[in-house]
Amino acid sequence: RRADGSVQLGEAAIKVEEFIPDKIQVSVLGPPAGAAQGLLEFTARARQLFGAPAAALPVEAQVRFLSAVFSHPKFPDHRFADPARSFSEQVIELGEGRLDANGDKTYMLPVPRTLLPPSMLLAQFYAEVRDTGGRPVGATLSVPVHRYPYYLGIKTDRRGTVHVGESVRLEWVAIK
């Protein structure tokens, strides 16, 4: 009981912080064709919010390789994947560096030959730039990576189980 006769039922502490907007804008630029094969090239770019390059700021980057399924608009019913292959996500840390005078840092990474997904890969680039106050601002870009020179697609006229002696029609297509 309090001195004024009221009863305290509980207590909670809250922390109030002022929102501090980002001071820089970060973007990631990838291969001009939108897809890559053997060598991945991407650029982390940072600009001050008033437009000037964010020169000499620290930057960290990584590439995450994920399995993705290739498809083609002319063959929507074909499956372009090898079900006998499995693939686990792979992450390659590209380390720390500094942006150049233009606010850019370009990374070049050969696609490891050991990455053999059931179909194609998706490379997710992530770059994080620290502003002058040390606050991180990140950006991501996803790019399809064609690991193989062509894709074989198969289409069947049946779904589910096929029993011995039943006929199945298969249609194959190769896409380069």
Side-chain angles (χ1 to χ4, degrees), residues 158-168:
R158 316 269 322 272
R159 298 247 183 231
T161 306
V162 177
H163 299 286
V164 175
E166 292 181 332
S167 64
V168 176

Side-chain angles (χ1 to χ4, degrees), residues 17-34:
E17 290 187 18
E18 185 176 330
F19 172 74
I20 301 172
D22 292 336
K23 297 176 185 176
I24 58 174
Q25 178 183 23
V26 177
S27 57
V28 177
L29 310 172

Side-chain angles (χ1 to χ4, degrees), residues 38-174:
L39 183 66
L40 298 175
E41 181 178 342
F42 77 99
T43 300
R45 174 170 288 165
R47 299 286 181 257
Q48 302 291 345
L49 285 185
F50 52 84
L57 292 179
V59 59
E60 281 186 62
Q62 70 172 211
V63 179
R64 181 180 310 271
F65 290 101
L66 305 167
S67 183
V69 177
F70 176 81
S71 64
H72 194 281
K74 289 186 180 179
F75 304 99
D77 297 329
H78 286 70
R79 174 116 172 108
F80 294 90
D82 182 351
R85 289 187 187 221
S86 63
F87 182 80
S88 296
E89 172 183 308
Q90 303 281 325
V91 177
I92 297 176
E93 298 290 339
L94 300 174
E96 297 181 19
R98 291 224 171 248
L99 300 175
D100 64 16
N102 296 320
D104 293 343
K105 172 120 175 97
T106 299
Y107 296 89
M108 293 182 135
L109 172 74
V111 177
R113 293 178 185 247
T114 57
L115 300 182
L116 300 172
S119 188
M120 67 180 214
L121 290 170
L122 187 65
Q124 290 182 336
F125 301 107
Y126 177 72
E128 188 173 88
V129 178
R130 295 198 175 273
D131 66 17
T132 53
R135 292 183 59 222
V137 179
T140 303
L141 175 71
S142 295
V143 175
V145 177
H146 299 298
R147 188 64 191 91
Y148 306 111
Y150 55 87
Y151 295 95
L152 297 176
I154 187 170
K155 174 184 166 184
T156 66
D157 64 346
R158 316 269 322 272
R159 298 247 183 231
T161 306
V162 177
H163 299 286
V164 175
E166 292 181 332
S167 64
V168 176
R169 182 177 167 203
L170 300 175
E171 188 177 303
W172 293 85
V173 64

